[in-house]
Amino acid sequence: MVNTALKSNAISNLNTLMKNEPNISTGLAAIKTLIKALESSKATTAIELDEELNTVVSAMESTDYSSTSIRSASDLFRKFISLAPAELIDQPDFVNILNFYNNRGRMFIERVARSRDLICKYSRPFFTNSMRLLTHSYSKVVLSVIRKAFESGVDLEVFVTESQPNASGKKMHEELVSLGINSTLILDSAIGYLMERMDAVIVGAEGVMESGGIINKIGTLSMSICAKMMNKPVYVMAESIKFVKEYPLNQTDIPEEFKYRTSVREGRKDLSSEHPEVDYTPPAYITLLFTDLGILTPAAVGEELIKLYT
């Protein structure tokens, strides 16, 4: 009964955040949902609290929001709040430990909230006047980066793929146009035709893998391969809460919960005929990753992940 209420509240909180805060990332919404669960927790031991948080994470992953983002953000959040001094852990009164976890959680949220501004700051020198950018699908962090560069006086020309099958690129194009940015919506199949005219490819990520590769909207791999063949840089904009402890070697190594939304997976044993929503772009096709931790090469991601979890 308690688990049912926890799951229901977690899903409700996540849905409310995603609906009422249109600029919030899925990862940050997941962290805020975990904080809310912490604040109302009645756990009296670390084991009970761990079970409660497992229930909340499981509930959030049962929604159709990105499981990749939810898992990575939740794992990092739980690791961060649990870094308590030994003398506190040994205390018999678990309320003091819960208060410590809540304080650490709020610190983590404050840090994550600054992520996009830091990414915009680090990436700004890479954008120059009359630069032609090609982007894929809809990414809130990519939109922020382009908007900040434009507001600082950089005149950009952006080309956005439709990003089928859900045409998420159309939303990106419309938001860019509403900001007064020169944007053109193109067919996914026009990538090769247009690539030679581009100065750079800029994409977001649902998850940054330990390998330095990324999980992102289906079609990102094709775009990145084409850019590599034509010697165009591929820049990834991603918050560190999207760093995932996974090391895929190819497309079949991507966990099914990353590739398909819950509503697609439910009750299905065979997903071979389903269209995956994401693909894996290996590090060989990525030039640089712009994160709140700094500008990273793909090879540096593994080391940063170790730091985040120690």
Side-chain angles (χ1 to χ4, degrees):
M1 190 70 177
V2 175
N3 276 359
T4 302
L6 264 178
K7 287 180 179 179
S8 177
N9 288 338
I11 293 172
S12 176
N13 288 333
L14 185 64
N15 285 332
T16 299
L17 285 165
M18 295 299 290
K19 180 181 178 181
N20 295 341
E21 299 183 36
N23 290 322
I24 197 172
S25 67
T26 303
L28 182 54
I31 291 168
K32 286 188 173 183
T33 301
L34 284 167
I35 271 283
K36 203 167 184 66
L38 263 181
E39 290 172 345
S40 60
S41 175
K42 298 294 189 284
T44 56
T45 66
I47 293 175
E48 286 180 10
L49 179 62
D50 196 50
E51 289 176 352
E52 285 184 6
L53 295 182
N54 281 337
T55 299
V56 172
V57 173
S58 176
M60 290 191 292
E61 288 184 333
S62 72
T63 67
D64 271 353
Y65 298 113
S66 170
S67 291
T68 317
S69 298
I70 290 170
R71 180 190 296 184
S72 59
S74 299
D75 285 352
L76 283 169
F77 173 80
R78 293 173 70 178
K79 179 63 179 179
F80 185 84
I81 65 169
S82 65
L83 296 176
E87 58 269 20
L88 179 64
I89 296 296
D90 293 336
Q91 285 190 19
D93 190 354
F94 194 69
V95 173
N96 293 329
I97 299 175
L98 266 180
N99 289 335
F100 176 85
Y101 286 168
N102 275 301
N103 290 332
R104 291 280 292 177
R106 284 187 283 272
M107 285 172 56
F108 191 75
I109 283 181
E110 288 175 8
R111 193 181 83 178
V112 171
R114 297 193 297 268
S115 295
R116 283 186 196 164
D117 286 339
L118 288 170
I119 293 170
C120 291
K121 174 185 173 183
Y122 295 141
S123 62
R124 171 61 189 83
F126 286 76
F127 301 113
T128 57
N129 273 324
S130 302
M131 194 173 187
R132 287 177 169 174
L133 300 175
L134 178 61
T135 190
H136 184 55
S137 186
Y138 178 80
S139 165
K140 293 173 184 175
V141 66
V142 169
L143 182 62
S144 294
V145 165
I146 294 174
R147 176 175 57 81
K148 286 283 187 180
F150 177 72
E151 289 174 352
S152 69
V154 181
D155 183 26
L156 299 170
E157 187 174 3
V158 185
F159 293 80
V160 188
T161 57
E162 281 185 333
S163 190
Q164 295 294 349
N166 64 354
S168 54
K170 185 178 180 182
K171 180 181 178 183
M172 184 74 163
H173 166 68
E174 290 172 348
E175 294 208 21
L176 287 169
V177 170
S178 71
L179 293 169
I181 298 169
N182 186 359
S183 175
T184 302
L185 188 66
I186 68 169
L187 297 171
D188 292 349
S189 55
I191 289 171
Y193 176 79
L194 287 168
M195 187 63 75
E196 63 185 21
R197 297 166 52 198
M198 298 298 107
D199 294 303
V201 170
I202 173 174
V203 296
E206 287 197 16
V208 178
M209 305 296 106
E210 193 171 353
S211 62
I214 63 168
I215 297 289
N216 198 43
K217 178 68 185 290
I218 190 81
T220 304
L221 173 61
S222 304
M223 181 182 285
S224 301
I225 291 173
C226 185
K228 179 78 170 180
M229 294 302 295
M230 295 191 182
N231 295 314
K232 307 295 182 179
V234 176
Y235 299 138
V236 176
M237 310 288 156
E239 304 96 321
S240 60
I241 57 167
K242 292 181 177 178
F243 285 20
V244 189
K245 292 173 73 176
E246 291 279 348
Y247 204 110
L249 298 176
N250 50 44
Q251 306 306 314
T252 57
D253 279 348
I254 306 173
E256 284 195 349
E257 61 269 24
F258 289 4
K259 287 193 285 188
Y260 308 102
R261 301 303 183 196
T262 301
S263 57
V264 174
R265 299 196 319 270
E266 280 181 343
R268 299 284 300 275
K269 291 184 178 180
D270 182 15
L271 294 166
S272 59
S273 61
E274 285 296 328
H275 196 299
E277 297 201 9
V278 301
D279 55 29
Y280 169 63
T281 302
Y285 302 112
I286 296 169
T287 308
L288 291 172
L289 297 101
F290 294 85
T291 77
D292 48 297
L293 303 177
I295 303 171
L296 306 176
T297 62
V301 171
E303 184 178 344
E304 292 300 326
L305 251 173
I306 292 171
K307 291 179 185 176
L308 287 171
Y309 278 93
T310 54

